[in-house]
Amino acid sequence: MPPLRPVPPSLGRSYADRQGGEWQDAAPAEHYARLTRIAYLVLAPSLGRNRRVLSAHWLTQRALAGEPAPDPGQAYARVRLRVVRSALEAGLPLFRLARPRRAQFPSLVPQVWGLRLFPHSCGADELALEQALASVSAPCRAAHVLRGLEGLDDAEVCQVLDEAGVTDPRAALLAADALTAPHALLASPEFDPCSLQVRPADAARRGRRGRALLAGVGALLVCGTLMVMPGDGLGGPHAASAPLYARNPTAQQALDPAELRRVPAGLWRSSARRDFSVWPARGDRTGDTGLLGRALAVWARPGGAVAVSATPGTPDGPPMGPPQLLYAGEVGAAAVVLFHDGLRVVRYAEPRNADPSGGAALDFARVDGADAVAASALVVQRRPGFLRYLTAPWVREAGVRDLLAPYGAARPLSLDAHGVTDPLPGPAPDGDACRSWHALEVRDGSAARLMTDLGELTPVRLTSGAPSAPHDVSGPADRAGWARTACLLPAVRSQGVRSVNSWPYARQRLPEGAGEALWFCTRADTWRGTGSRVLAQFQAPAEVSGGPAAPGAVAARAQDTPDCSTRRPRVLAGVLWRSDGGRWYVLAAGSRQFASLAARGGARGRAEGRLLALPTREGDRPRLDGVLTDGSRVGPLH
């Protein structure tokens, strides 16, 4: 694995024009940030991030103030050796009879009272490297840093460690071989003590004035210290944005697993609400702070290796406060965490062994305004061909029903102790053929609810009936209508759909005694309110149209229309239909609000009532309209 950078910046420059002490004056400005990073990485992580930051600056400043090297070309190497030696000494234990060394004690300067300083937290990869460095010795950390950050070969690493006082440099190198993290991670802001964020040390016990005063003094001290540091610092006088260390305490608190909101197991029984806010924290890893910490860190700052998805209209930003924990456990080969922040449900998944090379996934879904039915289940695992749900605590039974088999019984589906279902087939597993459509049926003690997966975290509730009074799909007539509607659902897949209602708004006798057809208006409403989809479909008798599971013919479609909704429960649509005798007809049907229908262009005619059937020719495209009972004229769904 190649090193991060073969040589430190500016060491490849010519020194022919440097005179006397000019090199010593330039060294701090050019290498200060790099030297403090080395000190921070070598110092023991057990010291805590705040003390490591201050100690790294103190050790580097002491090293720069030491005796200058006789050879200007060796100045950086000499200062680096002092930094490494001091950082190694800082990790030595204090013995009673041994003379203590200055580096073993807390630094005198710099000090910031009332504030704690931290480098910027990054992703799961940096967190894994931090944990790996904490588990090895200080010489091993020094060897890894000299090899990966400084680009030294093994002989040079051994020489530096030997001069720094390490008794067995070769053993330190061998131990460093076990650290498999990419060297590029050493350059992450996670390990940069010159780019900091600030947090009050004990703000909860101070008054408002004391907090403001100490925070202001601390900020001035930090700014004053960083203003004299090399480089561009953490913000210029003309920058419009705040400096990098100015973090919102509430947002920082949201990343602490200990601050997660956990709902008691039985609260939903006595609560006036039944939605995601009363789900208890479930799963076999709700106490795994490592998993929860990685999930929160990835939510706040997803890296390039994280697959992120969000339903339309769902913000994918970080949490604004400690979210509610819904689930944390192992599902199949993944560890899954589900959060709820009032507006969204967020799903984080990683390999069970937390291997960063296996990638991670982060999914967002909007769930504001959910009721007891909409909050009945969440998708906890999705794999090609099957999926699992996490059901609400009030769900007593679950089953699987094939929508394309309307007269078949639902197959029981087992739930584990945490409410996770056994795997069930996804909708239409045979692809475009749509030979089956498996839906989830849940029972909460009062009714059976039918829900289906449309590619998102939240399953979609299926209902039947007029827009003013939709009801759950329960009887044979409802299931028969959905058997011919289910295969049209891919038209609204991954659109943030909350519910789909299919309304049989008209029944029409076909010409030439061909039987009776049904007209349906199918409306998909979204969580965000906009983006609704409406389909008007014509279902000819099953015996002449391909069977009881043959999809209906789409007569019209529209988006973001109030038609077929509670606000405007009306619809008009028409189709061209050919009889078994080969003759063509214009068929149209409207909802109960229509007093008459008319066709113009090609076939021309008018019919009293809300049904129309006119002879026509193949290829004709008549224009339809209708007159409502209040006398106003409206057109078809479009």
Side-chain angles (χ1 to χ4, degrees):
M1 185 180 299
L4 172 65
R5 186 181 293 164
V7 294
S10 84
L11 284 191
R13 301 179 189 171
S14 171
Y15 295 96
D17 57 348
R18 297 195 183 269
Q19 302 294 328
E22 183 182 353
W23 159 250
Q24 297 301 329
D25 294 337
E30 292 184 332
H31 307 302
Y32 186 89
R34 186 184 191 91
L35 292 168
T36 53
R37 183 186 291 269
I38 294 173
Y40 183 85
L41 286 164
V42 176
L43 285 168
S46 60
L47 295 174
R49 301 174 74 189
N50 180 71
R51 182 174 169 185
R52 285 169 70 197
V53 166
L54 298 177
S55 296
H57 284 286
W58 179 57
L59 296 178
T60 303
Q61 291 168 13
R62 290 183 67 231
L64 290 169
E67 182 180 356
D71 180 8
Q74 297 297 320
Y76 176 80
R78 177 70 63 88
V79 175
R80 180 180 62 197
L81 175 60
R82 293 173 186 156
V83 169
V84 173
R85 181 188 295 121
S86 299
L88 292 172
E89 291 176 351
L92 295 176
L94 286 169
F95 294 103
R96 183 174 182 181
L97 300 179
R99 182 175 65 88
R101 306 184 187 187
R102 184 63 192 89
Q104 293 174 276
F105 293 97
S107 59
L108 294 177
V109 289
Q111 288 291 343
V112 179
W113 298 100
L115 295 175
R116 300 186 66 81
L117 308 178
F118 303 89
H120 295 281
S121 299
C122 295
D125 293 344
E126 287 82 356
L127 180 61
L129 175 57
E130 178 81 353
Q131 294 171 345
L133 292 176
S135 64
V136 299
S137 65
C140 177
R141 289 194 296 270
H144 184 68
V145 172
L146 292 171
R147 177 190 282 170
L149 187 65
E150 295 294 278
L152 303 183
D153 59 30
D154 289 358
E156 293 171 325
V157 172
C158 286
Q159 179 182 354
V160 175
L161 294 180
D162 181 71
E163 294 178 358
V166 176
T167 56
D168 193 350
R170 181 59 59 181
L173 266 178
L174 292 176
D177 291 337
L179 298 174
T180 59
H183 289 155
L185 290 179
L186 296 173
S188 169
E190 179 91 23
F191 311 112
D192 183 8
C194 289
S195 180
L196 304 172
Q197 54 184 328
V198 180
R199 183 182 299 171
D202 55 349
R205 295 179 303 182
R206 298 176 180 174
R208 184 173 300 176
R209 290 186 177 181
R211 285 201 305 269
L213 177 61
L214 289 178
V217 172
L220 288 175
L221 290 174
V222 173
C223 293
T225 302
L226 298 176
M227 286 290 289
V228 300
M229 287 186 179
D232 294 332
L234 300 179
H238 304 294
S241 61
L244 296 178
Y245 54 82
R247 295 301 181 96
N248 186 305
T250 303
Q252 294 300 300
Q253 187 182 34
L255 304 183
D256 185 356
E259 299 293 332
L260 286 171
R261 291 188 292 111
R262 299 169 185 260
V263 174
L267 179 64
W268 64 272
R269 300 180 186 275
S270 58
S271 174
R273 301 174 57 179
R274 278 203 179 180
D275 53 21
F276 292 110
S277 67
V278 296
W279 274 34
R282 291 175 288 174
D284 53 9
R285 295 183 67 176
T286 54
D288 188 340
T289 57
L291 171 63
L292 299 177
R294 290 191 297 274
L296 290 169
V298 172
W299 179 1
R301 299 174 302 276
V306 179
V308 181
S309 69
T311 59
T314 305
D316 57 1
M320 293 297 100
Q324 176 188 353
L325 177 62
L326 302 181
Y327 180 84
E330 295 182 355
V331 184
V336 178
V337 182
L338 288 171
F339 299 110
H340 176 237
D341 69 353
L343 173 68
R344 305 166 293 178
V345 166
V346 181
R347 176 183 179 271
Y348 170 79
E350 68 176 23
R352 292 179 62 176
N353 60 1
D355 182 5
S357 64
L362 189 65
D363 305 306
F364 297 85
R366 187 169 174 175
V367 294
D368 51 317
D371 55 13
V373 179
S376 293
L378 291 172
V379 174
V380 72
Q381 183 192 30
R382 189 190 306 279
R383 288 290 183 269
F386 75 91
L387 66 159
R388 296 176 193 256
Y389 289 99
L390 174 67
T391 57
W394 52 83
V395 170
R396 298 183 179 180
E397 298 177 3
V400 184
R401 185 178 291 278
D402 185 0
L403 295 183
L404 271 60
Y407 306 111
R411 175 172 60 85
L413 190 63
S414 297
L415 304 175
D416 69 9
H418 305 291
V420 177
T421 68
D422 282 349
L424 68 152
D430 295 327
D432 295 336
C434 195
R435 299 186 181 91
S436 62
W437 191 285
H438 295 95
L440 174 70
E441 186 175 80
V442 296
R443 295 181 178 271
D444 57 8
S446 60
R449 323 286 188 183
L450 201 59
M451 314 185 85
T452 190
D453 172 55
L454 288 181
E456 298 166 357
L457 281 178
T458 53
V460 176
R461 182 186 183 185
L462 303 181
T463 58
S464 295
S468 58
H471 57 268
D472 289 296
V473 181
S474 55
D478 293 341
R479 288 197 287 268
W482 267 106
R484 305 189 63 182
T485 303
C487 290
L488 301 177
L489 287 175
V492 294
R493 186 188 297 272
S494 301
Q495 296 298 319
V497 175
R498 176 174 181 167
S499 63
V500 181
N501 183 60
S502 196
W503 168 35
Y505 69 89
R507 186 183 297 268
Q508 183 176 29
R509 288 191 175 277
L510 297 177
E512 303 180 20
E516 198 171 61
L518 290 175
W519 291 85
F520 281 80
C521 186
T522 303
R523 181 180 179 90
D525 285 311
T526 67
W527 286 96
R528 63 190 183 277
T530 59
S532 61
R533 304 287 182 93
V534 179
L535 298 176
Q537 55 168 309
F538 171 78
Q539 294 185 3
E543 57 270 15
V544 298
S545 58
V554 177
R557 66 182 72 222
Q559 183 171 348
D560 283 324
T561 176
D563 287 348
C564 199
S565 70
T566 305
R567 177 183 169 190
R568 198 163 74 189
R570 72 169 190 240
V571 62
L572 169 64
V575 293
L576 292 177
W577 177 79
R578 192 179 73 167
S579 69
D580 288 343
R583 284 173 287 277
W584 289 87
Y585 293 87
V586 175
L587 303 179
S591 53
R592 295 184 182 276
Q593 296 88 343
F594 285 86
S596 64
L597 303 181
R600 297 178 180 80
R604 299 179 62 89
R606 185 176 180 276
E608 295 296 325
R610 59 195 185 101
L611 301 175
L612 174 71
L614 296 175
T616 188
R617 293 172 297 179
E618 181 179 4
D620 280 349
R621 294 292 183 268
R623 299 185 301 276
L624 295 174
D625 60 26
V627 177
L628 301 179
T629 54
D630 64 3
S632 58
R633 183 179 297 274
V634 297
L637 179 72
H638 67 278

